[in-house]
Amino acid sequence: MKRMFLLLLIACQLVQAQVTPTPDVLWGQLFKDVQMTHTLGDNKTFVDCLPKHEPSVILKKYNQQKGKAAFDLKTFVLENFDLPSSPNVKVTQGLSLKEHLEELWNVLTRQKDSVKKWSSLLPLPYSYIVPGGRFREIYYWDSYFTMQGLAVSKRYDLIEDMVNNFSYLIMHYGHIPNGNRNYYLGRAQPPYFAMMVELLHEKNGDAVYKKYFPAMEREYAFWMNGTEKLKSMQAHRRVVKMPDGSILNRNWDDVNLPRQESYAEDVATSKVYKNGDGMVFRNLRGCAESGIDFSSRWFRDTMHINTVETSNLIPVDLNSLLYVYETLLSKAAKANGQPAKEKMYKLKAQKRKAAVLKYCWNANANYFFDYDLRKKKTTGRWNILGGIPLFCGLATKEQAEGVQKNVEEKFLKDGGVTTSIFNTGEQWDAPNGWAPLEFITVKGLMHYGYKDLAKQIAERWMNINERVFASTGKMLEKYNVEDIHLESGGGEYPTQDGFGWTNGVYLAFWKLFKEK
């Protein structure tokens, strides 16, 4: 009964937002049967399918046919649905890698969406870049790193289109979802929108702050929703009041059900979940909101996904990014002639900085970690994102020195920096390296004057990009940086090619370290 009520509530919310019901609601038992039997392989395939007929017609046929001896579920799906298509990446002979990547922007570009009945896609009014492979829609935090390469390619037209799309999502749905699919609406992703606006501001000045300030404020309000209701050591949605009264944030999802695009995997995890708190789906979805899905940093025992505890943790990266958000809101308020808001956001940034340094810094380890609300101390789970306070400019010089030493000693590998020191079989752990984390690490080190180490990391990363491209003609989502002769792996799906943020970060590093 509780589950049915929640499904009805979600359906009502989607109707209010004029959104097609999510695939689990729309297709009911057919959805479960397709996903649990992996009829189409990757669970993301079915939720991106487009029905050839009205749902009532397809469901009536399904109920009539499924009990027959000769019934084949995959054949039924293929007869009644159009499968989604992915970008077809081709390599033009004779181009340098930089030239190939600049040509690839056109392959990965989607023009403004048309409205298609019963599609899970949330149509966007402007052009955008998709990552590639199974990722056929815009993704929130991917896009910031993709934009770094677009800026090198002088494709500010696409950057502006994508920022306009994100502004549209904020004003239409109240936040930027994980991606523009209705099954992503319960969660966001790392809040880079203000930094995207800043990227445009560097080119076009204060007119950018004036245009996007309302959207920036509205997204920030989404992250801070419920703050006024909190008492000490209480949490509501994404906000947590700490013992000293400061406000920090956690990752969350407003839906406590299996992710539609990873339904079978989440159901399987729920059957062996060990924490006994009824939060398995919320915690899995919170990982997805963090962008780091999945990783040792979220696991109570460090090693196994069935101990996932995202809602118990204060992530150092999320709160560092929100510090930047508050800082940029203060700048935007000034540009808009609103001194009271300028002062308010500046104060919020100062308070958040003090709280991050208090709760996430471990002086004994000389490194930043997530904070465990249950144990009331840092987790000690080593992850390269412990260096993000350098990228966001809130670490002290002494802290930056400690981070730099730990990055060099624990994370630096032949292909760049590894995501964590733990090999769990999850994709956001060793031995994998990811473009956004390479970028964050390199830029953070440069901010604090560690340019030699930054250059070393960037060059090792570019080398592995170049080596794999030369042998396969592909740019990958992630790489094995510990053994550069082996493929990356782990996670819920095969390594994807395309690939938006890898292309963007390679071009950004090319401009920083190779152009001259």
Side-chain angles (χ1 to χ4, degrees), residues 324-496:
V324 175
Y325 213 125
E326 288 159 343
T327 301
L328 293 176
L329 278 167
S330 179
K331 291 174 63 177
K334 181 179 181 180
N336 279 273
Q338 299 187 41
K341 284 188 174 181
E342 176 193 358
K343 183 178 180 180
M344 175 188 72
Y345 287 122
K346 185 175 182 179
L347 182 60
K348 286 179 181 292
Q350 290 170 348
K351 289 182 176 180
R352 186 180 298 272
K353 176 179 178 179
V356 170
L357 297 186
K358 177 177 179 178
Y359 290 104
C360 294
W361 175 251
N362 185 312
N364 292 326
N366 275 323
Y367 203 68
F368 289 96
F369 299 93
D370 303 324
Y371 182 81
D372 188 328
L373 293 166
R374 186 174 56 91
K375 294 184 176 179
K376 298 181 174 55
K377 63 178 184 179
T378 54
T379 63
R381 299 167 199 158
W382 291 89
N383 190 284
I384 193 62
L385 277 168
I388 199 171
L390 278 65
F391 176 72
C392 294
L394 54 76
T396 66
K397 290 182 179 180
E398 292 75 20
Q399 288 168 338
E401 183 179 2
V403 168
Q404 174 262 330
K405 288 179 180 177
N406 277 307
V407 167
E408 189 166 19
E409 292 173 5
K410 290 183 168 61
F411 297 97
L412 181 63
K413 306 297 178 182
D414 288 345
V417 288
T418 187
T419 304
S420 79
I421 66 169
F422 306 104
N423 194 326
T424 63
E426 299 295 343
Q427 63 176 352
W428 290 90
D429 276 317
N432 292 338
W434 293 75
L437 309 190
E438 308 294 323
F439 184 83
I440 287 166
T441 304
V442 166
K443 295 288 283 187
L445 290 168
M446 291 179 71
H447 288 165
Y448 284 79
Y450 298 105
K451 294 182 180 179
D452 290 343
L453 178 57
K455 183 179 181 183
Q456 188 177 12
I457 294 168
E459 288 181 341
R460 291 185 184 192
W461 177 253
M462 286 189 287
N463 287 340
I464 195 173
N465 287 191
E466 292 162 0
R467 186 189 65 78
V468 172
F469 179 76
S471 62
T472 67
K474 295 180 178 182
M475 295 292 284
L476 303 181
E477 174 192 32
K478 56 185 179 284
Y479 295 84
N480 184 330
V481 297
E482 291 188 2
D483 187 334
I484 60 175
H485 301 291
L486 296 178
E487 292 185 5
S488 59
E492 300 172 324
Y493 56 84
T495 297
Q496 303 294 298

Side-chain angles (χ1 to χ4, degrees), residues 30 66-68 73 94 113 117 135 138 157 171 195 205 243-244 250 288 290 292 305 330 341 370 410 415 422 430 472:
L30 172 60
K66 66 180 181 179
K68 297 180 179 179
L73 182 55
D113 297 312
K117 197 172 184 182
F135 301 110
I138 201 170
D157 57 323
M171 303 313 285
M195 295 173 73
D244 64 356
R250 63 178 179 176
S290 78
I292 311 300
I305 195 171
S330 179
K341 284 188 174 181
D370 303 324
K410 290 183 168 61
F422 306 104
T472 67

Side-chain angles (χ1 to χ4, degrees), residues 16-124:
Q16 290 171 2
Q18 297 182 325
V19 177
T20 297
T22 52
D24 54 334
V25 175
L26 187 61
W27 301 111
Q29 191 60 45
L30 172 60
F31 167 85
K32 291 181 181 178
D33 292 344
V34 171
Q35 300 298 68
M36 291 302 294
T37 59
H38 291 280
T39 298
L40 298 179
D42 185 351
N43 267 195
K44 191 175 186 305
T45 303
F46 184 62
V47 294
D48 293 353
C49 283
L50 198 62
K52 296 178 181 180
H53 314 288
E54 291 286 314
S56 60
V57 173
I58 294 176
L59 291 172
K60 182 178 180 180
K61 285 198 294 182
Y62 182 61
N63 289 327
Q64 289 172 342
Q65 297 176 20
K66 66 180 181 179
K68 297 180 179 179
F71 179 77
D72 182 76
L73 182 55
K74 184 172 183 179
T75 299
F76 178 86
V77 171
L78 296 178
E79 287 175 349
N80 290 279
F81 294 85
D82 289 323
L83 298 184
S85 60
S86 296
N88 183 17
V89 177
K90 296 181 179 179
V91 179
T92 302
Q93 296 300 316
L95 296 183
S96 68
L97 178 52
K98 177 179 180 290
E99 290 168 335
H100 166 71
L101 296 181
E102 293 185 328
E103 184 179 80
L104 199 53
W105 293 135
N106 293 328
V107 177
L108 297 176
T109 297
R110 295 291 171 269
Q111 301 304 318
K112 69 176 184 178
D113 297 312
S114 58
V115 177
K116 295 181 180 178
K117 197 172 184 182
W118 307 119
S119 171
S120 63
L121 192 71
L122 304 175
L124 295 175

